[in-house]
Each structure stands twice: as C-alpha cells, then as structure tokens.
Amino acid sequence: MQVDQQRAQDMRAKGWWGERTVFSQFESLLAENGEREALVDAINRADFLGDAPRRMTFRQVAEEVDRATVVLHQRGLGVGDVLCVQLPNCVEQFVVYLACARLGIVVSPLPIQYREHELQYILELLQAKALMVYSGGSEQDAPVLRARALVQDGFLQANAVLALGHAPSLTDQENWTALLAKVQDATAQAQMLGKAAQTTSDHVFTICWTSGTEARAKGVPHTHNEWFAQGRVSLGLSRVGQHDRILNPFPLINMAGFATCFFPWLMTGCTVVQHQPFKLPVYLQQLREEAISHTVAPAAILNAMLHKPELVQGIDFKLLSRIGSGAAPLSEWMVKEFQDRWGVSILNFYGSNEGGSLAGSELDVPDPTLRATCFPRTGVAGLQWRGDGMDSVSTRLVDPANEEEITQPGRVGELRFSGPTVFSGYIGDPALTQRAFDAQGYYRSGDLFEIVGEGDAYYRYVGRLKDVIIRGGMNLSAEEIDSLLLAHPAIADAAVVGFPDAALGERVCAFVVLRDGVESLSLAQLSAFLRDEKKVAVFKMPERLEVVHALPRSAVGKILRRDLREILNAEVAA
C-alpha cells in the first residue's frame, strides 16, 4: 500500500514530506537516548493484563523490537500484510508498531471494545493476516476466545492469533511474551529482515477506523509521511521536547493517540507514561508521581479538577504547564481558570482520523476564553501563525448547499481540509472516497464552523453536518446503530440520536416503534439483545430508550433526527 506518487512529489516539492520512516526515525534516537527511560506502563496494568507494570529504556525497546521483528516474520507477516492489533494501552504497543513499521506490515489498531460484529467486518475487508489480542485481568480469556472463534469461522487463517498476557490457557503459538523469549540472535536477523523489506516513507503505516454517516466503520490509511506531518503540527502546539514526560490516557488506536503521544515520542525521544483505562484516581496519582510535564484530558476531567481543588494537591503545575484537550467544546471558564489559578495553558485540539485538524495554543490564540471555542484559520492567504506546521494545513469554508466559498464572518459553512496530513481515501470504497473530497481536492469534514475574531482570523465550531454521535471521544454512526436495532424482533422502526452529557459529551438515545402485538420493551432487554445476540461493542449501546408511535420523516422518507433531538431538548427544558 502506497500513496499516489504525484501527490508524493507535490508534498516533497513543498518540503512537507521526506524520506524517513517510523523505524528509521526510531533508530536515529538510539545513539543519544539509548539509556534514557522511554516507556512506562500504567500502575494498574495488572488489572487488565495480569502482570506487573514495565519500565523500558530506549535501548530495551530496541532490543524487544528486534525480537518482535523476528517473531512477526516467523508468523509469515511481511510488506503490505495487515496485522490487526487489539491491545489496551501498554508499552508493548510501541514495540509492535515499530516492528511492523520496520517490516512494512500495515498496523490496523482496533478499540478493545470491538467484538464479533465489528471484528468480522474489519478482518474480512482487510484480509488481515493476523490478529493480536490480550489476556488476563478482569476479562480473563474473552479476547483470546473470541479470536480463536474468528479462526474457526474462517475470518482468520490457522495460527493467526497472537496474545499478550499470562493466561494459563494460552498456547505456545499464541503467547507473545513466550514467543519473544525464544528468539536467539535477534538483532542480526532483524537488521537483515528490515533491510530486505525496503519500507519507504510513502508506504501505509496504519489503517485506523472511524464511523460517520455510513452504516459501517471506515478504514482510514495513513502513510509514514502523513503521520510525520501530523506529528509536526502536534509538536508545534504542545512544544514537547526530549526531556518531557507525557502521560497518555488516549487509546493508541486513532488520530488522538497517535498525534498527541506516539509521534511526539518518536520525533523527540521524550518519555511516555501509559494510562489505561481512564480512571481519575490513577491518572492523578501518575501526574503526581511520574514528574509529568505534558498530558491530555477530556474537558469533563479538567472541569472536575477545578471544582474539586483537593484532587490536584501535590501536582506540580510549574512543571505541568500545558494540558491538551478537545473532542468536545471547551468551557471558556475552564480554560481561563486554569490560566488564572495555576498558570496552565489549555491547548485546544480539533481533528479527525482522516487528517483534517485544527489546533489552538497560547502562541496563536493568547486569549484563553477565545481559545476555548476558536481555532486559527490555517493555510488561509494573509494569515500567519507561529505554531510549527500550522500553515501546511490548508482550509476553506464552504456553503454545502451551493459550494460557494465563505470568506466573511457571520455565515455558517462546512470546513474542508487539504495538505500533507490528509489521507488519500478510504479502504475498499472508491465511491465513498469520491464523496469525501470536493472538486478542489479538499476533504469534506462534515463539521460546521463560522469565521470570527479580529481580522477574521479564527474559526468557531458550530455543529455537525453529519449525523454522528460523539460519545467519550468515539464517533458513532447513527445509521449503523439504527440497523442493529431494527434486527430486534420487537422493533418495527428505530433511530438514535445523541443527547448532551457532562462527562462523555453525548450519550445515545434510541427512539423505537414496536411491532404490532408487542406491548413493551425495556432498555435492559434491548441491551441484552445487542450484547448477547449481535455482539456489539458496549460503547455503541443506547443508554436511553423512548418508545414512540412513529418516527418523524421527511417527504422522501428520511428520518428527521433534529425533531427527535428537539423532543429530548423539550423534556430537559421542562
């Protein structure tokens, strides 16, 4: 898998792409950083992997990457093959990703919440060569048993399961830790294999997954060069350096984790402390004990830290002077209070897996109240920004009704992106790819903004053009959940919408019409069906159920979700 060569030439001519790969960049860190601490596990690792937390220097990471390279090759994986990885946040993610980059293997990281419904679709679409899962902790062997069943059902070949953990039921062919331990003379073998792979910066490194208005998740490929361009923008915002220590609570599966953690680590040689899953007491303990100088956090967590100042006792805010947030609108009060109370700059991220991104820091948006809701109009003629890489991302605001470009304030339009961070197209769906870009080659974000500020310098987020529910930073397709609900034997018609939630941003509400003769349906019954029959990830399940006589539809039969949202809003107002 490689990017279009004409695009590659254009990006190189502008100085935005180069020749380094993920693994060559890692190698460049070793001479100066070999004995420095590189990776630290979450202190509660035993809860989900069943063993003790690990701490690794860059040299130790390199040695384990050598062994991982050999094991992946022995399993038959090579250039262009796809390895799906379903792991919680742990140091081994970095090892696996680096080994794959070395061999030209395409990594497809998956949320640990995905179950049969999602896994079968992805494995079949990608023709994945192997699946790496985990065992131990509270879930015991559930991911491993699920992976074995996928082999039996024909979605994976025999011996295609690798498992991290220490469950007694793991076989010799599955146990990742045992497989690494068996490798002898790994460095020489790994060097030979890496040289033979001839991986280039234009090869695809990852395929991440996103949901929008389509019925199923969409595979988003990114090359090494696209990721480095995104990393440059992220570093320009966070200004993380070699001696910083990052606390990472974002899953290393998509834009959020890769852009704010993996690539800043790879590009600077800083130290990453992993966090999994998001548990506030553990997160705060890590902030105190690990000398963290940069982190990211959901807005709800930052709000809680202000409302309960006892939570932050012992945290050194002179060291932790910059915190990233995003995925939901930020409170002006919160951003200003962090600045006034502790001198902490809250950085505002906006982005999508497809590579469209905006970023606001005190460099370019010094007013903290403005930074909470506004972003620089990057790549627009006449506007200059201080953050590194900001001007490589070109943006335009367009009226989606008539494709007219909007250049004046007070008018809402769809934001569109072009540049070195933007993907080339979805996996296995040319028609969807064509719809994703406009006539000028800009990616259609599906998000609505307006131009604001002195000199028309900023974009302010207004809402979404697409019917996407953003729950806890995860994008959920309303259409996909609709189709799952319609499979229930008691449901004649169904539609879901998001409703506001202080902690998660949005939760899922299902409106259903019952079949004739069915008197009732409870949320517990619906959840049991989705969980046990459809094997759906928990975060996609509705958390509220409304039984109605009919769904509002347009003249052509389209569900009017805005009317459903108005019903919920009216109840809140009452």
Side-chain angles (χ1 to χ4, degrees), residues 74-322:
Q74 290 173 342
R75 194 50 62 93
L77 290 154
V79 177
D81 290 330
V82 177
L83 172 66
C84 289
V85 178
Q86 192 177 30
L87 294 178
N89 276 4
C90 56
V91 299
E92 285 84 359
Q93 286 172 303
F94 288 75
V95 171
V96 173
Y97 295 170
L98 288 168
C100 286
R102 187 184 210 171
L103 291 173
I105 299 167
V106 180
V107 177
S108 187
L110 308 177
I112 61 173
Q113 298 94 334
Y114 274 10
R115 300 176 68 197
E116 288 88 342
H117 173 76
E118 295 85 9
L119 294 174
Q120 290 173 2
Y121 169 72
I122 290 171
L123 293 170
E124 190 168 35
L125 178 65
L126 298 183
Q127 293 296 292
K129 196 74 172 285
L131 171 64
M132 187 170 187
V133 294
Y134 67 103
S135 68
S138 60
E139 285 201 13
Q140 300 300 325
D141 292 341
V144 178
L145 295 175
R146 191 178 299 132
R148 291 171 182 165
L150 290 166
V151 173
Q152 294 174 355
D153 293 340
F155 292 97
L156 285 168
Q157 298 178 0
N159 292 325
V161 176
L162 297 165
L164 174 65
H166 298 277
S169 65
L170 291 184
T171 68
D172 292 341
Q173 288 299 305
E174 293 171 338
N175 192 320
W176 177 254
T177 303
L179 289 168
L180 293 185
K182 293 178 181 178
V183 177
Q184 302 295 321
D185 301 321
T187 299
Q189 293 182 68
Q191 289 175 346
M192 178 186 66
L193 293 171
K195 185 176 181 180
Q198 297 184 329
T199 305
T200 76
S201 58
D202 292 331
H203 279 95
V204 170
F205 171 45
T206 64
I207 299 174
C208 300
W209 295 88
T210 189
S211 296
T213 56
E214 310 305 318
R216 302 299 293 262
K218 304 186 290 284
V220 180
H222 276 298
T223 67
H224 297 247
N225 267 323
E226 287 167 353
W227 274 122
F228 279 121
Q230 186 64 59
R232 180 188 172 198
V233 174
S234 179
L235 283 175
L237 184 72
S238 67
R239 286 182 280 168
V240 164
Q242 178 187 28
H243 298 289
D244 281 303
R245 295 173 66 83
I246 300 176
L247 177 58
N248 172 50
F250 284 173
L252 280 181
I253 59 171
N254 55 22
M255 179 62 69
F258 278 101
T260 65
C261 172
F262 185 87
F263 276 87
W265 173 81
L266 184 67
M267 295 169 73
T268 66
C270 66
T271 302
V272 165
V273 179
Q274 290 277 52
H275 178 87
Q276 167 70 37
F278 201 97
K279 291 186 176 180
L280 184 56
V282 175
Y283 180 76
L284 295 172
Q285 182 178 349
Q286 289 177 293
L287 287 179
R288 295 186 187 96
E289 297 179 355
E290 290 289 350
I292 300 300
S293 55
H294 181 70
T295 189
V296 289
I301 298 303
L302 299 178
N303 292 335
M305 292 167 71
L306 287 170
H307 287 301
K308 298 181 178 180
E310 66 272 15
L311 294 177
V312 303
Q313 290 182 2
I315 295 175
D316 183 357
F317 283 118
K318 290 184 179 179
L319 181 63
L320 179 62
S321 61
R322 304 161 67 78

Side-chain angles (χ1 to χ4, degrees), residues 117 211-218 429 432 435 466-469 475-487 493-498 508-509 530 540 553 558-559 561 564-565:
H117 173 76
S211 296
T213 56
E214 310 305 318
R216 302 299 293 262
K218 304 186 290 284
D429 201 329
L432 181 59
R435 295 197 300 272
K466 303 174 181 179
D467 286 319
V468 177
I469 301 168
N475 288 355
L476 311 182
S477 165
E479 185 177 331
E480 179 187 14
I481 301 175
D482 290 354
S483 66
L484 292 167
L485 296 178
L486 288 171
D493 204 359
V496 300
V497 296
V508 180
C509 177
L530 294 173
K540 295 183 180 180
R553 293 182 179 272
K558 184 178 179 179
I559 294 172
R561 296 185 198 270
L564 298 176
R565 294 188 189 98

Side-chain angles (χ1 to χ4, degrees), residues 1-5 7-9 11-12 17-21 199-205 222-226:
M1 299 181 183
Q2 286 184 291
V3 73
D4 176 75
Q5 289 305 297
R7 181 179 182 229
Q9 291 177 17
M11 292 296 110
R12 282 179 170 82
W17 285 3
E19 306 307 323
R20 63 178 168 174
T21 67
T199 305
T200 76
S201 58
D202 292 331
H203 279 95
V204 170
F205 171 45
H222 276 298
T223 67
H224 297 247
N225 267 323
E226 287 167 353

Side-chain angles (χ1 to χ4, degrees), residues 315-376:
I315 295 175
D316 183 357
F317 283 118
K318 290 184 179 179
L319 181 63
L320 179 62
S321 61
R322 304 161 67 78
I323 299 175
S325 192
L330 305 183
S331 160
E332 295 181 6
W333 169 83
M334 180 270 287
V335 178
K336 188 173 187 302
E337 276 294 300
F338 262 89
Q339 182 70 54
D340 294 345
R341 193 180 301 185
W342 296 309
V344 174
S345 293
I346 300 297
L347 315 176
N348 196 358
F349 290 91
Y350 161 90
S352 67
N353 279 331
E354 287 84 353
S357 62
L358 299 172
S361 74
E362 77 282 4
L363 288 176
D364 293 313
V365 195
D367 181 348
T369 58
L370 190 65
R371 197 185 323 133
T373 58
C374 298
F375 303 90

